[in-house]
Amino acid sequence: MEYVKVLLPSICVGLLFWYVIRSVVRADSIERREMDRFYSENEDSAGESPESTGDLNDLRSSGADPTHDALSASDSPAHDSTVPVESTSRKDPEHGS
């Protein structure tokens, strides 16, 4: 009976570890199966326009600009000239500035 008391925590942790790893492996296999189904459905609808499928490579080959809605650097607040910029220089205690 003494051996059971000593080994029981290790057995419980081992079973818990096995269950977690089993769940992760099953979730991965289910995800792979669903992704295969998703891609096969997309291959079936390959005759549609690139805009409806959202394929970036098809958009690029058609001459469309997929980044037309992206912010340019001048539109971001960090580059706005109206935003005050704090000085990063340290004040020199000897000169009182």
Side-chain angles (χ1 to χ4, degrees):
M1 189 65 179
E2 186 175 320
Y3 293 115
V4 174
K5 289 180 183 178
V6 172
L7 293 176
L8 190 60
S10 297
I11 292 171
C12 290
V13 169
L15 288 173
L16 180 65
F17 179 75
W18 169 79
Y19 180 74
V20 169
I21 295 299
R22 180 177 146 247
S23 299
V24 169
V25 169
R26 283 188 177 188
D28 182 56
S29 66
I30 291 170
E31 181 181 9
R32 288 174 188 256
R33 184 176 59 227
E34 293 299 318
M35 290 296 290
D36 287 342
R37 190 176 77 180
F38 174 77
Y39 285 128
S40 68
E41 288 175 1
N42 279 348
E43 287 175 2
D44 293 342
S45 64
E48 296 178 12
S49 66
E51 289 82 12
S52 64
T53 59
D55 189 5
L56 188 59
N57 291 328
D58 289 341
L59 284 173
R60 286 183 181 149
S61 65
S62 69
D65 183 15
T67 60
H68 70 280
D69 290 332
L71 285 175
S72 66
S74 63
D75 292 338
S76 66
H79 297 288
D80 191 2
S81 61
T82 61
V83 176
V85 178
E86 294 182 24
S87 174
T88 57
S89 64
R90 295 184 177 176
K91 294 183 179 180
D92 190 8
E94 294 179 11
H95 295 92
S97 52

